[in-house]
């Protein structure tokens, strides 16, 4: 345990899994999420990621079914179609069918693929309108993230710099377009069946909940879902789901390019399980054990979210220390995942075999692996992220062998998330 100063705020850093267990399991009601700075809230939306208390619980209950396994299985054909379109574009860039190879900056490409899937999960049948809105949000996030890099300059976000002005304009446009879309879906909602393609899209679930709550006039609730809540939750899901999942895909591809023996082992499994099928089915995906282990090892070595922060709601004893109310606690996921006392001497090596007996037995403590967080506030999109990643990597393995480009430079860096610094150029060869 030690203190790290984040600007003027001291944060107690805790990497002992026994104390981490106290925070997320034993004494979880004594902790809450800390307040993100206003600029971060602008980027992440005022939704599930930042809400607290009853309002958070109410939203989580409504949104959860979007990410249930059964619902995700219905999205599989759409995900596979997006993948096939992209892979088709790569193949067409290859000079000839047999010796063809192509260099791709995978991080940008995975980002687009993931954005497509999150757009479907959020908007379902209103996909086209949703896509245009999320394209604006992707741009807005780039401009706002640049302002975030200057977060230590007081008042920077209020200065009318060119980038800030673009970001403000985009923010207004996103809000206006989302409100328009919500209004249209609201009008249709009572008669419209949910789309077959994505029966539980987030927008529909939230609109139905808000209509039901406003119809129940006998007990108007302060928690009732408003239009503004729906806007903020759409923004949050896009923020929380896109870069995280595309980072997982990027790091996994980089690691498999660095470790051809694991790439071969994973390919052998995919080809054996899928047989002649070009696209893995939902049952195929559940049988891809080696690929599951590889994704876990990738999340251990390069967890997209590098830390979690909590705030003590009251004075208390924790890990042998007396903690004062409002103390901020930082749980450094990246450091815990690289602790040799928990993961043995090969902690910095890529060794998916450590997950062979399941996540709970991979380290010396079951709380040592937490890429999706822990406890009640663990990631709501975990299933979607893993489902997408398995499908995308399996489809790549079926079609290509790949290696690092000579232009690749291994230089992970943290800007909100853990990124490869150079966009991860990878050379793909057709099998
Ligand atoms: C929460 C990581 C994908 C939506 C979290 C948290 C982590 C995390 C560490 C906990 C934050 C905390 O406790 O303070 C990841 C990683 C992902 C991923 C590593 C991919 C590899 C997704 C996806 C979505 C999503 C695909 C949605 C489509 C959310 C939301 C929360 C969350 C809404 C807040 C949950 C709550 O507080 O109730 N994620 N995430 N995430 N994630 Fe993810």
């Amino acid at each position: 345990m030690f203190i790290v100063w984040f600007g003027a705020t001291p944060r107690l850093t805790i990497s002992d899994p026994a104390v981490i267990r106290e925070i997320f399991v034993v004494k979880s009601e004594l902790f809450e999420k800390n307040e993100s700075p206003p600029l971060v809230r602008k980027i992440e939306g005022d939704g599930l990621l930042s809400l607290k208390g009853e309002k958070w619980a109410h939203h989580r209950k409504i949104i959860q079914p979007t990410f249930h396994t059964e619902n995700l299985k219905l999205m599989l054909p759409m995900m596979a179609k997006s993948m096939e379109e992209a892979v088709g574009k790569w193949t067409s860039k290859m000079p000839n069918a047999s010796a063809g190879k192509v260099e791709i900056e995978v991080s940008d490409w995975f980002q687009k693929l993931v954005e497509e899937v999150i757009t479907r999960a959020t908007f379902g049948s209103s996909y086209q309108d949703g896509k245009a809105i999320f394209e604006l949000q992707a741009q807005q996030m780039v401009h706002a993230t640049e302002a975030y890099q200057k977060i230590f300059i007081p008042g920077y976000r209020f200065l009318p710099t060119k980038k800030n002005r673009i970001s403000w304009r985009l923010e207004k446009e996103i809000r206006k377009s989302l409100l328009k879309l919500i209004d249209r879906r609201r009008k249709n909602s009572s008669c419209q069946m949910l789309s077959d393609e994505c029966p539980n899209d987030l927008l529909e679930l939230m609109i139905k909940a808000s209509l039901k709550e406003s119809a129940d006039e006998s007990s108007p609730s302060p928690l009732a879902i408003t239009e503004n809540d729906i806007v903020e939750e759409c923004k949050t899901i896009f923020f929380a789901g896109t870069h995280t999942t595309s980072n997982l895909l990027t790091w996994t591809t980089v690691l498999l390019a660095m470790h051809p023996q694991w790439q071969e082992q994973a390919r052998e499994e995919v080809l054996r399980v899928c047989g002649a099928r070009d696209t893995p089915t939902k049952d195929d995906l559940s049988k891809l054990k080696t690929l599951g282990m590889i994704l876990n090892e990738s999340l251990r070595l390069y967890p997209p979210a590098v830390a979690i922060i909590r705030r003590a709601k009251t004075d208390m004893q924790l890990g042998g220390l007396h903690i004062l109310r409002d103390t901020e606690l930082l749980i450094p996921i990246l450091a815990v995942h690289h602790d040799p006392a928990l993961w043995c001497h090969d902690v910095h090596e890529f060794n998916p075999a450590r997950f062979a007996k399941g996540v709970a037995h991979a380290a010396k403590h079951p709380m040592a692996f937490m890429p999706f967080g822990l406890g009640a506030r663990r990631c709501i999109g975990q299933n979607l992220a893993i489902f997408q990643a398995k499908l995308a990597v399996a489809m790549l393995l079926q079609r290509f062998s790949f290696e690092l480009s000579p232009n690749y430079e291994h230089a992970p860096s943290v800007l909100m998330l853990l990124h490869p610094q150079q966009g991860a150029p990878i050379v793909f060869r057709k099998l």
Side-chain angles (χ1 to χ4, degrees):
M1 288 188 178
F2 54 90
I3 300 277
V4 169
W5 288 87
F6 187 77
T9 315
R11 280 186 183 154
L12 180 63
T13 305
I14 295 174
S15 55
D16 176 346
V19 185
I20 292 175
R21 185 168 177 277
E22 278 194 67
I23 300 170
F24 289 98
V25 182
V26 183
K27 296 178 177 162
S28 61
E29 73 290 351
L30 303 183
F31 298 93
E32 63 181 6
K33 292 198 89 163
N34 70 324
E35 197 86 4
S36 300
L39 182 58
V40 176
R41 288 181 87 137
K42 263 197 190 326
I43 305 174
E44 70 183 25
D46 247 335
L48 275 184
L49 270 174
S50 50
L51 294 176
K52 293 187 213 165
E54 287 185 343
K55 188 161 179 178
W56 164 77
H58 186 52
H59 283 212
R60 177 121 187 170
K61 199 167 150 219
I62 293 167
I63 294 172
Q64 191 88 51
T66 314
F67 303 104
H68 280 170
T69 316
E70 288 312 306
N71 202 43
L72 298 181
K73 283 177 184 165
L74 294 166
M75 287 190 218
L76 186 100
M78 165 279 288
M79 291 187 204
K81 191 167 159 259
S82 308
M83 224 8 236
E84 263 158 17
E85 276 171 17
V87 166
K89 279 187 206 149
W90 297 3
T91 316
S92 68
K93 284 191 205 164
M94 291 180 171
N96 67 60
S98 56
K101 62 174 185 173
V102 65
E103 183 171 317
I104 308 277
E105 292 267 14
V106 285
S107 54
D108 285 352
W109 183 80
F110 281 138
Q111 177 66 18
K112 294 214 168 56
L113 178 77
V114 171
E115 280 175 12
E116 172 100 8
V117 172
I118 303 282
T119 306
R120 297 268 184 191
T122 310
F123 297 108
S125 58
S126 312
Y127 166 75
Q128 287 303 344
D129 294 317
K131 191 172 157 78
I133 296 172
F134 275 170
E135 275 165 11
L136 295 179
Q137 197 182 337
Q139 290 173 34
Q140 201 265 348
M141 272 164 58
V142 172
H143 292 291
T145 306
E146 281 175 14
Y148 174 77
Q149 286 171 296
K150 304 202 170 76
I151 201 164
F152 292 112
I153 303 176
Y156 182 83
R157 72 191 172 97
F158 298 113
L159 297 179
T161 61
K162 190 173 170 207
K163 297 229 158 86
N164 277 349
R165 276 183 285 128
I166 298 176
S167 167
W168 299 335
R169 178 179 54 75
L170 287 169
E171 200 186 314
K172 270 195 201 143
E173 266 181 61
I174 294 165
R175 192 180 162 73
K176 203 169 124 201
S177 313
L178 273 171
L179 285 172
K180 219 162 113 188
L181 179 55
I182 293 166
D183 187 50
R184 221 176 40 242
R185 284 276 284 262
R186 263 197 162 158
K187 285 184 182 134
N188 294 336
S189 202
S190 51
C191 56
Q192 184 188 321
M193 285 301 290
L194 296 174
S195 127
D196 283 344
E197 196 178 41
C198 180
N200 274 328
D201 72 78
L202 177 118
L203 192 61
E204 193 68 22
L205 287 172
M206 292 211 77
I207 288 174
K208 284 218 148 70
S210 89
L211 286 172
K212 188 166 170 282
E213 285 165 355
S214 53
D216 189 5
E217 279 167 18
S218 56
S219 59
S221 159
L223 298 176
I225 302 282
T226 64
E227 271 183 349
N228 190 52
D229 290 333
I230 305 177
V231 167
E232 295 303 319
E233 288 298 356
C234 290
K235 283 160 65 178
T236 291
I237 291 297
F238 184 79
F239 169 82
T242 52
H243 286 278
T244 44
T245 312
S246 72
N247 275 15
L248 165 62
L249 279 162
T250 302
W251 286 121
T252 305
T253 313
V254 165
L255 284 164
L256 288 177
M258 284 175 169
H259 300 276
Q261 71 286 15
W262 278 104
Q263 188 186 136
E264 203 37 58
Q265 205 172 316
R267 179 174 301 106
E268 187 277 320
E269 177 185 70
V270 171
L271 297 179
R272 179 169 37 80
V273 168
C274 301
R277 284 183 291 281
D278 274 355
T279 308
T281 62
K282 55 186 188 318
D283 293 334
D284 292 340
L285 291 181
S286 61
K287 290 181 196 149
L288 298 176
K289 301 285 177 233
T290 306
L291 188 48
M293 283 154 49
I294 288 170
L295 291 172
N296 281 335
E297 182 66 341
S298 167
L299 285 165
R300 181 187 74 81
L301 282 171
Y302 300 102
V306 292
I308 304 177
I309 300 165
R310 290 291 183 270
R311 201 182 59 81
K313 285 171 31 184
T314 167
D315 294 5
M316 73 182 86
Q317 287 297 121
L318 183 74
L321 289 182
H322 184 69
I323 305 281
L324 297 180
R325 200 181 83 180
D326 285 338
T327 302
E328 284 193 3
L329 309 172
L330 185 134
I331 295 90
I333 300 178
L334 186 62
V336 177
H337 284 188
H338 287 254
D339 182 351
L342 294 168
W343 297 93
C344 298
H345 58 281
D346 66 345
V347 65
H348 298 300
E349 282 164 33
F350 178 67
N351 177 16
R354 69 178 93 243
F355 285 96
K357 289 191 183 141
V359 165
H361 303 286
K364 289 188 183 151
H365 194 288
M367 294 267 154
F369 183 64
M370 48 174 142
F372 294 102
L374 294 165
R377 305 227 35 173
R378 65 183 294 134
C379 180
I380 201 171
Q382 174 173 353
N383 286 346
L384 174 60
I386 295 294
F387 199 75
Q388 259 193 98
K390 262 195 177 175
L391 179 71
V393 179
M395 287 179 74
L396 287 183
L397 288 165
Q398 281 178 312
R399 289 158 176 78
F400 304 103
S401 69
F402 42 95
E403 63 203 57
L404 291 179
S405 153
N407 302 321
Y408 176 80
E409 195 184 311
H410 194 68
S413 65
V414 177
L415 176 59
M416 284 200 194
L417 298 178
L418 181 60
H419 299 271
Q421 218 163 44
Q422 288 258 315
I426 306 272
V427 175
F428 288 86
R429 287 172 206 276
K430 226 172 153 190
L431 286 176

